[in-house]
Amino acid sequence: THTHIHTHTHTHIHRQGQVKFDRYDTGASVLNLPLIEVISKQIGVPFDDLEIYLCFKVLQDEFGKLVQHRAPIDEAIRQRDNLAQALYVHMFDWLVHKLNSLLQPSISSSDPVAFTADFDKSVRRISLVDLYGFEKQEASSFEQMYINYSAEKLQNFFLWHTIKRNQDEYVGEQLPWQEECFRDNTATCDLFDDSQVGVFTFLDRSTEDQMDLESADKCFLDLLDENVDTHQSYSSRQADPGDTILCPFLDFKIVHFASPVVYTISGFSSKNRPVLDTRTRQLFAKCSNVVLREYDVQSVAEVTPGSSVGVEFRNSVRDLVDGLKTQDAYHVRCIKPNDTRTPNYMDEARVCQQIEHLGLRETILVAKRGYPYRMTYAEFFRRYRMICRSTFPRFRGTPLAGCRQIVAERLPGEATSIVFGRRKIFFKSLRLRDNLEEFREEALKTVIVTVQRAWRRHTARRQLKLSISSRRIARCYRRFRKRRVLSLIQTRYQQPTAGPWPTVPSEFDLLLDLGKRLHRRQHFSRAIERIPDEQRVAIRLKTIGYGIFFGKRQYWGYSNVWGGNHLAGNPAFRVQSEKLKKQWKFCELLFSADTVKINSHLKSRDRVIVLTESTVLFADPSQGFAAKKSPLELSKLISVTFTPGTDQLVVLKFKHNTEAVFVFSDLQQDYVGEFVSTLMFALAKLSLPCPRVLVLPTVETSLTGSSMTLEVDYQFRQNPQFVKTASRIITLLWPA
């Protein structure tokens, strides 16, 4: 893995510092070759190539050919350190990219350019920048100059952010402001950054033009003396011969914001050269280590010189400052209490010096006299309009007028602490902002309740409208469906031959049943109208009989001609019937027929049954159809029993244990159906309840006062007859 490889690389950087050189002929040679062999295996570079890289230098002759010569010991040491530095730089870059990829995993750590571009597009983030400290040593060199340059740039940003920007804004907003003077280090920053006559520009130019490092350092100092000798922040022994502190042709001095610093030019050019020169790129191109090959090294002819260390550092600091200018920066300045690191001791002179050089006094004065809180009129009005009744919820004026109205109503006694500029409103104290925020929090509660109430009212109204609309739609649909069903039923009612009745929803079953009943009644009424008058009574009786006998008795005489008074053709019976009407006071004789009746002594006797509109009586044909007993009233009838067979046995039970057991004696015609139907018709005319109708193969009777069983036996005989076959069994012998 990459982590494992970089761990080994860090070990090899330390091992390279242990490589020693010895003089060989006119050049250098490696003293501890086994260590070189171990390093070459670990970083994946051939041993011969690594030895040539360290001990030889490549020169180009007059014919353009590359010639190798042994390098001096000091140059070999410089090559060794250059290789270690290249490995260290690559490991450091990898570590930075790895950390960035962990902080923002969506960006690939192998593409630092894409990472930086996407990271700058982040909408919200909090960044902590630990600023460089100012360094001043007895012999300050290349590293101290760049550290002090970064501190100079960040101090310049601090002054711009805390003093200059605020003062420019106050002036631009036409506020009553007296500008505060402060120590500005812009000239010192320009001395470093100028693309034509800047320190970094001359350093890069001398490094590129001179092959010899000592000559390059002297060239760098000469360029500074020729071009910036009159600059207020620069001096050297050549530019100012009276400054005896500076060594001639060796030192130069730059006045920084904190203190003047003397720099020694020795090693400037060597330290400024690119970390990855042509030979180092060639060596990495032959490397089998996958991490080192990520440099994508090309051949020597295609490789262009890389950027110098100074250029890369300057670009990094410039990007940092540019990024800070686009963010909301908050500064924490650290004051060193003493230079001896003694606890609980503060050097007053040293502290005052730092406060003076850091510009803290001017910053505090500007902050004290200035306006720490400001907002544009539109932002202020949009945020705080709800705390004033005259501006919320509707206000027809401009944002400036709204801001003035809010301040006048909510902050009436703070007119001297609030200033209105051209585009912004400024507050002298943060306490006023806190007061406004408290007013806003209280107003928000009311606004939230109002919004919730309005939303609930809106929701309830919408639900009510939907409910009313849905009920209206449902009502109209039900009305439409009723009309449609009525139309279908009406069509089927008017056209009897139109087919089956339509299928309707369950809620219209009663309506469909009513239509069917009306249709059947109309159909039957029309059918009855076609029947002659003399047959209508018989048809009605047969209809009653159908409801009684259907499914209970197969033979009940529905195919016979029902005449009712079957003995009307007998003159003697006609004469006697008139006498009976007068005797028993009935008006209409509904039914008469010959029967065989069994009495309480279990004797069979021939009798004529006579059914009137209210009674049943039995007449003796042998005595001129005279009635032997009083008639039985229909109002006392309890049940009517008959058998399911072909016999014509009928048992009538009345109240008070009165029974009539008889059988119709005419074998040519079945009278059971006609008699029972006529009996039910008479009861219906009297509005009496219908008795129980029982269909049983054997009948229980109490003619003799005790319970007996009446059975039917089919035999080959001429006439029906009742016979007692056992102590409690009576048998009707019926002709088969």
Side-chain angles (χ1 to χ4, degrees):
T1 62
H2 284 187
T3 306
H4 181 71
I5 293 173
H6 278 81
T7 302
H8 283 284
T9 304
H10 186 266
T11 304
H12 304 328
I13 294 173
H14 289 280
R15 286 181 176 177
Q16 289 183 33
Q18 302 173 6
V19 176
K20 305 298 181 180
F21 296 95
D22 192 10
R23 185 176 297 278
Y24 178 80
D25 196 5
T26 59
S29 65
V30 179
L31 184 62
N32 43 359
L33 289 177
L35 182 60
I36 294 296
E37 186 175 358
V38 172
I39 295 174
S40 65
K41 289 181 179 179
Q42 293 295 335
I43 65 177
V45 176
F47 174 79
D48 297 335
D49 294 337
L50 181 59
E51 184 180 11
I52 292 173
Y53 174 81
L54 294 175
C55 300
F56 289 85
K57 61 180 179 179
V58 180
L59 300 176
Q60 189 173 9
D61 59 8
E62 58 184 357
F63 300 104
K65 294 183 179 181
L66 298 178
V67 181
Q68 294 181 356
H69 294 280
R70 282 193 177 271
I73 293 179
D74 57 347
E75 189 171 344
I77 294 174
R78 192 160 48 248
Q79 284 293 98
R80 178 198 65 186
D81 297 342
N82 190 23
L83 178 60
Q85 184 182 6
L87 292 174
Y88 180 82
V89 168
H90 178 68
M91 184 184 68
F92 185 81
D93 291 340
W94 174 86
L95 181 62
V96 172
H97 298 157
K98 189 67 175 177
L99 291 175
N100 287 337
S101 65
L102 294 176
L103 293 174
Q104 192 171 2
S106 60
I107 306 300
S108 174
S109 61
S110 61
D111 190 359
V113 177
F115 177 86
T116 304
D118 289 347
F119 191 73
D120 289 340
K121 295 178 182 178
S122 301
V123 178
R124 295 181 180 179
R125 71 175 186 270
I126 298 177
S127 303
L128 182 63
V129 182
D130 187 7
L131 306 184
Y132 290 95
F134 184 79
E135 289 192 3
K136 180 180 180 181
Q137 301 180 2
E138 294 181 359
S140 299
S141 184
F142 180 83
E143 295 83 359
Q144 283 73 37
M145 187 182 73
Y146 276 95
I147 291 174
N148 294 336
Y149 164 72
S150 63
E152 195 80 41
K153 291 289 291 185
L154 293 171
Q155 174 66 15
N156 181 262
F157 167 74
F158 171 75
L159 295 174
W160 171 85
H161 186 265
T162 58
I163 301 178
K164 191 175 185 303
R165 187 183 66 168
N166 289 336
Q167 293 194 133
D168 293 343
E169 185 176 11
Y170 297 156
V171 174
E173 290 289 331
Q174 299 177 359
L175 302 184
W177 176 259
Q178 182 179 358
E179 190 170 352
E180 182 72 28
C181 297
F182 62 94
R183 295 176 63 246
D184 193 358
N185 66 338
T186 304
T188 305
C189 294
D190 294 339
L191 175 62
F192 283 96
D193 292 334
D194 197 304
S195 60
Q196 300 297 328
V197 289
V199 174
F200 293 137
T201 303
F202 293 143
L203 181 58
D204 292 341
R205 188 182 304 173
S206 62
T207 304
E208 295 174 2
D209 294 344
Q210 301 295 328
M211 294 295 294
D212 184 55
L213 297 179
E214 294 182 1
S215 301
D217 292 339
K218 293 179 181 180
C219 179
F220 168 59
L221 186 57
D222 293 340
L223 290 173
L224 290 177
D225 291 337
E226 292 174 3
N227 295 276
V228 297
D229 55 342
T230 59
H231 197 280
Q232 60 181 358
S233 300
Y234 173 83
S235 67
S236 66
R237 188 64 177 273
Q238 295 75 247
D240 186 8
D243 193 350
T244 58
I245 299 177
L246 302 175
C247 295
F249 306 105
L250 185 62
D251 297 339
F252 67 93
K253 182 174 64 175
I254 294 179
V255 181
H256 291 280
F257 73 96
S259 175
V261 180
V262 177
Y263 297 101
T264 302
I265 64 173
S266 299
F268 264 58
S269 299
S270 62
K271 297 175 181 178
N272 187 52
R273 287 190 173 183
V275 176
L276 288 179
D277 56 5
T278 302
R279 295 191 64 192
T280 307
R281 290 176 179 270
Q282 277 186 312
L283 183 66
F284 284 172
K286 300 176 182 179
C287 181
S288 61
N289 191 312
V290 293
V291 179
L292 296 178
R293 289 182 63 86
E294 289 181 359
Y295 282 106
D296 192 19
V297 184
Q298 301 177 356
S299 61
V300 181
E302 298 175 351
V303 171
T304 58
S307 300
S308 64
V309 175
V311 171
E312 293 181 358
F313 189 85
R314 180 179 57 189
N315 293 338
S316 177
V317 174
R318 182 185 59 193
D319 294 340
L320 173 63
V321 174
D322 293 341
L324 290 175
K325 288 182 178 180
T326 61
Q327 308 297 328
D328 293 332
Y330 298 89
H331 303 274
V332 178
R333 303 312 300 254
C334 300
I335 304 298
K336 186 184 294 185
N338 58 75
D339 294 331
T340 59
R341 299 182 181 178
T342 303
N344 301 324
Y345 170 67
M346 179 177 292
D347 187 350
E348 184 177 353
R350 180 63 174 139
V351 171
C352 292
Q353 181 187 10
Q354 294 179 72
I355 292 175
E356 181 67 25
H357 289 305
L358 292 175
L360 297 182
R361 186 182 63 85
E362 295 85 354
T363 303
I364 294 173
L365 288 176
V366 171
K368 184 177 180 180
R369 291 174 47 204
Y371 304 91
Y373 184 64
R374 69 208 68 177
M375 292 180 70
T376 62
Y377 294 133
E379 293 175 351
F380 182 87
F381 182 71
R382 182 170 58 252
R383 183 169 183 81
Y384 298 112
R385 62 178 301 183
M386 65 183 63
I387 69 176
C388 183
R389 290 188 176 182
S390 59
T391 59
F392 186 81
R394 293 180 179 86
F395 183 73
R396 298 185 180 277
T398 61
L400 174 58
C403 294
R404 292 184 182 276
Q405 187 70 25
I406 294 172
V407 171
E409 290 190 16
R410 304 301 292 181
L411 302 173
E414 305 291 345
T416 58
S417 301
I418 301 174
V419 179
F420 292 91
R422 294 176 58 251
R423 296 179 299 105
K424 295 182 179 180
I425 180 173
F426 295 83
F427 292 86
K428 192 75 174 179
S429 174
L430 293 178
R431 176 181 55 84
L432 301 178
R433 183 194 63 177
D434 297 338
N435 293 340
L436 290 174
E437 288 297 327
E438 292 178 1
F439 296 152
R440 185 173 182 270
E441 288 295 331
E442 295 176 359
L444 274 178
K445 297 178 182 178
T446 305
V447 171
I448 291 173
V449 173
T450 303
V451 172
Q452 290 178 345
R453 183 170 61 248
W455 174 251
R456 287 194 294 267
R457 182 170 58 250
H458 166 72
T459 305
R461 286 179 177 177
R462 185 173 61 181
Q463 292 295 334
L464 179 60
K465 289 182 179 179
L466 289 177
S467 177
I468 294 175
S469 300
S470 61
R471 288 197 298 267
R472 185 177 300 170
I473 292 174
R475 185 168 59 252
C476 294
Y477 177 71
R478 287 193 297 269
R479 189 182 302 124
F480 161 75
R481 197 163 59 167
K482 287 181 180 179
R483 288 197 298 266
R484 186 170 178 271
V485 171
L486 287 174
S487 177
L488 294 175
I489 295 176
Q490 183 179 5
T491 302
R492 177 61 179 83
Y493 181 84
Q494 294 176 352
Q495 300 177 3
T497 60
W501 287 85
T503 303
V504 298
S506 58
E507 59 264 27
F508 297 103
D509 288 343
L510 295 177
L511 183 62
L512 181 63
D513 293 340
L514 178 60
K516 289 181 179 180
R517 287 197 301 270
L518 293 176
H519 181 267
R520 285 195 297 268
R521 178 169 296 186
Q522 182 184 19
H523 176 70
F524 289 136
S525 298
R526 293 177 181 176
I528 291 174
E529 289 178 355
R530 295 193 295 269
I531 298 176
D533 295 339
E534 61 274 9
Q535 297 181 5
R536 289 185 180 181
V537 176
I539 293 296
R540 186 170 186 178
L541 293 177
K542 288 184 178 182
T543 303
I544 296 174
Y546 181 82
I548 296 173
F549 294 97
F550 180 75
K552 298 178 182 179
R553 180 183 173 95
Q554 183 179 3
Y555 305 101
W556 52 279
Y558 61 88
S559 59
N560 300 333
V561 177
W562 289 7
N565 188 4
H566 294 280
L567 298 180
N570 189 334
F573 179 77
R574 272 200 313 271
V575 174
Q576 186 62 27
S577 63
E578 295 297 331
K579 295 179 180 181
L580 292 175
K581 287 180 181 181
K582 294 178 180 180
Q583 181 182 357
W584 302 111
K585 299 179 181 180
F586 60 87
C587 299
E588 184 178 5
L589 193 152
L590 301 180
F591 180 84
S592 64
D594 293 326
T595 63
V596 176
K597 183 177 179 295
I598 184 173
N599 56 21
S600 59
H601 301 289
L602 303 182
K603 300 296 183 180
S604 297
R605 297 288 185 265
D606 292 334
R607 294 288 186 268
V608 173
I609 186 171
V610 177
L611 176 62
T612 67
E613 71 274 10
S614 60
T615 58
V616 176
L617 58 87
F618 291 91
D620 187 359
S622 61
Q623 296 183 8
F625 300 101
K628 291 293 186 179
K629 293 182 179 181
S630 300
L632 303 173
E633 296 181 4
L634 296 181
S635 59
K636 297 180 180 181
L637 181 63
I638 297 175
S639 65
V640 178
T641 306
F642 51 87
T643 62
T646 58
D647 61 277
Q648 300 189 46
L649 174 65
V650 178
V651 178
L652 300 179
K653 289 186 178 182
F654 296 86
K655 295 179 181 179
H656 308 298
N657 293 327
T658 303
E659 294 184 2
V661 180
F662 60 93
V663 60
F664 292 100
S665 59
D666 190 353
L667 302 179
Q668 303 298 324
Q669 188 173 352
D670 194 320
Y671 293 105
V672 175
E674 183 179 359
F675 171 74
V676 174
S677 299
T678 306
L679 178 64
M680 296 300 174
F681 177 72
L683 292 172
K685 291 182 68 176
L686 295 174
S687 300
L688 296 175
C690 294
R692 290 183 300 167
V693 178
L694 303 177
V695 182
L696 301 173
T698 59
V699 183
E700 296 295 328
T701 181
S702 57
L703 283 174
T704 60
S706 61
S707 177
M708 301 186 71
T709 302
L710 180 61
E711 297 178 350
V712 178
D713 185 14
Y714 296 90
Q715 296 182 359
F716 292 99
R717 51 184 301 116
Q718 295 293 329
N719 298 314
Q721 185 180 0
F722 290 99
V723 179
K724 182 178 180 182
T725 56
S727 61
R728 293 184 176 278
I729 297 175
I730 302 173
T731 303
L732 169 63
L733 302 178
W734 181 261

